């Protein structure tokens, strides 16, 4: 489904060059659940941002379903990012002025006309993550675990083929983290492809495949 070929990402920092990704080759098949692990600074977020089309490689290729993302025009590329990929972040990224339901409906902001049934789908997702009763609340009235579950519902609204999560349990207590992981596991069980970034070994152990980064390179790639 997705493939990285000798992907490198450099950042220029006050005259210095940081090699965040130093030649990554990776293939992920449709329906896989992969954990990307590695110490802080090893390139995990840089890698995930490229997978999510939020950033582009300095060199090398990123292919989605056989097509090089660099060859897509702006419209296809933003279409890919908005409809085919769901993103979950460590700090939730919910908009504070919107209600929980409005946050879940945010992926529709680029649609001229919301697809029929979108609101019903948002409510069904809120049911699934245990937040239907909270739909009219603002994010600051929720616990961290609830905010992350709302963010997951939002990421799933447009039924993306690929769900990307960057340290989704990083700000949560262990019980909320377990709830969030159970939810992510359910997404995978439903057939969606999941890539989860974490520096926590217990979290990574939830995924059948673990890819470990060190200094911007894959140190090992193992399946259980
Ligand atoms: P991780 O998510 O594993 O902690 P990152 O991908 O965030 O790693 O960072 C990898 C390296 O790239 C680090 O040395 C980091 O400081 C550097 N880096 C990441 N993003 C930027 C940026 N926008 N500008 C400059 N350096 C960056
Ligand atoms: Mg990171």
């Amino acid at each position: 489904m997705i493939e990285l070929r000798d992907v490198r990402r450099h950042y220029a920092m006050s005259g210095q060059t940081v090699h965040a990704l130093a030649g990554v080759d990776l293939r992920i098949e449709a329906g896989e659940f992969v954990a990307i692990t590695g110490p802080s600074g090893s390139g995990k977020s840089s890698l995930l941002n490229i997978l999510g089309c939020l950033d582009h490689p300095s060199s090398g290729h990123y292919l989605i379903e056989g097509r090089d993302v660099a060859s897509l025009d702006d419209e296809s590329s933003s279409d890919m990012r908005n409809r085919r990929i769901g993103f979950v972040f460590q700090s939730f990224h919910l908009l504070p002025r919107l209600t929980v339901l409005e946050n879940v409906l945010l992926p529709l902001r680029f649609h001229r006309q919301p697809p029929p049934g979108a609101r019903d789908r948002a409510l069904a997702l809120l049911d699934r993550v245990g937040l239907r009763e909270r739909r009219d609340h603002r994010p600051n009235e929720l616990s961290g675990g609830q905010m992350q579950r709302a963010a997951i519902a939002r990421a799933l609204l447009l039924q993306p083929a690929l769900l990307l999560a960057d340290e989704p349990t990083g700000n949560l207590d262990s019980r909320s983290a377990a709830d969030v992981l159970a939810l992510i596991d359910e997404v995978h069980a439903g057939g969606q492809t999941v890539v989860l970034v974490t520096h926590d070994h217990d979290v990574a152990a939830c995924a059948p495949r673990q890819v470990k980064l060190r200094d911007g390179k894959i140190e090992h790639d193992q399946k259980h």
Side-chain angles (χ1 to χ4, degrees):
M1 179 194 189
I2 56 183
E3 188 177 355
L4 297 172
R5 292 188 190 154
D6 195 26
V7 162
R8 291 161 195 269
R9 179 68 170 97
H10 319 304
Y11 299 105
M13 277 285 278
S14 50
Q16 299 248 30
T17 304
V18 180
H19 297 270
L21 296 173
V24 171
D25 291 284
L26 181 66
R27 251 183 95 97
I28 296 175
E29 304 300 338
E32 274 199 277
F33 179 7
V34 182
I36 310 281
T37 66
S40 175
S42 58
K44 304 182 297 298
S45 295
S46 299
L47 181 63
L48 206 71
N49 289 340
I50 287 173
L51 294 181
C53 303
L54 300 175
D55 187 24
H56 296 289
S58 308
S59 69
H61 297 278
Y62 175 31
L63 293 90
I64 300 182
E65 283 151 6
R67 287 197 301 169
D68 194 325
V69 171
S71 72
L72 301 177
D73 57 28
D74 283 354
E75 196 183 331
S76 321
S77 163
S78 60
D79 193 65
M80 186 79 81
R81 198 167 53 236
N82 298 325
R83 293 167 208 239
R84 309 272 297 138
I85 301 174
F87 240 106
V88 177
F89 301 92
Q90 177 171 0
S91 50
F92 324 125
H93 291 196
L94 297 174
L95 297 190
R97 288 174 199 281
L98 301 184
T99 65
V100 169
L101 177 60
E102 287 164 348
N103 267 284
V104 173
L105 287 166
L106 264 179
L108 295 174
R109 68 195 179 285
F110 299 115
H111 288 237
R112 256 165 260 136
Q113 218 171 10
R119 197 187 142 88
D120 288 345
R121 183 166 161 72
L123 289 170
L125 281 164
L126 283 173
D127 238 352
R128 183 167 154 199
V129 304
L131 290 175
R132 197 185 174 102
E133 256 81 86
R134 298 282 180 153
R135 65 185 175 277
D136 296 323
H137 289 237
R138 310 275 159 192
N140 68 3
E141 298 169 310
L142 304 183
S143 69
Q146 289 172 330
M147 285 196 263
Q148 194 59 298
R149 286 187 275 129
I152 292 173
R154 178 179 62 187
L156 296 177
L157 185 74
L158 300 179
Q159 296 171 287
L162 178 61
L163 180 71
L164 302 176
D166 194 351
E167 304 274 6
T169 59
N171 286 341
L172 305 181
D173 61 78
S174 57
R175 193 166 154 214
S176 305
D179 289 346
V180 161
L181 286 175
L183 208 51
I184 288 175
D185 203 45
E186 235 180 82
V187 171
H188 164 240
Q192 281 159 292
T193 311
V194 177
V195 181
L196 163 76
V197 160
T198 180
H199 65 270
D200 181 328
H201 289 289
D202 294 336
V203 171
C206 297
R209 178 178 172 196
Q210 292 156 26
V211 173
K212 184 166 185 207
L213 290 183
R214 178 174 293 277
D215 300 331
K217 289 189 182 137
I218 293 180
E219 187 175 61
H220 60 238
D221 181 345
Q222 51 195 26
K223 290 186 189 178
H224 297 270

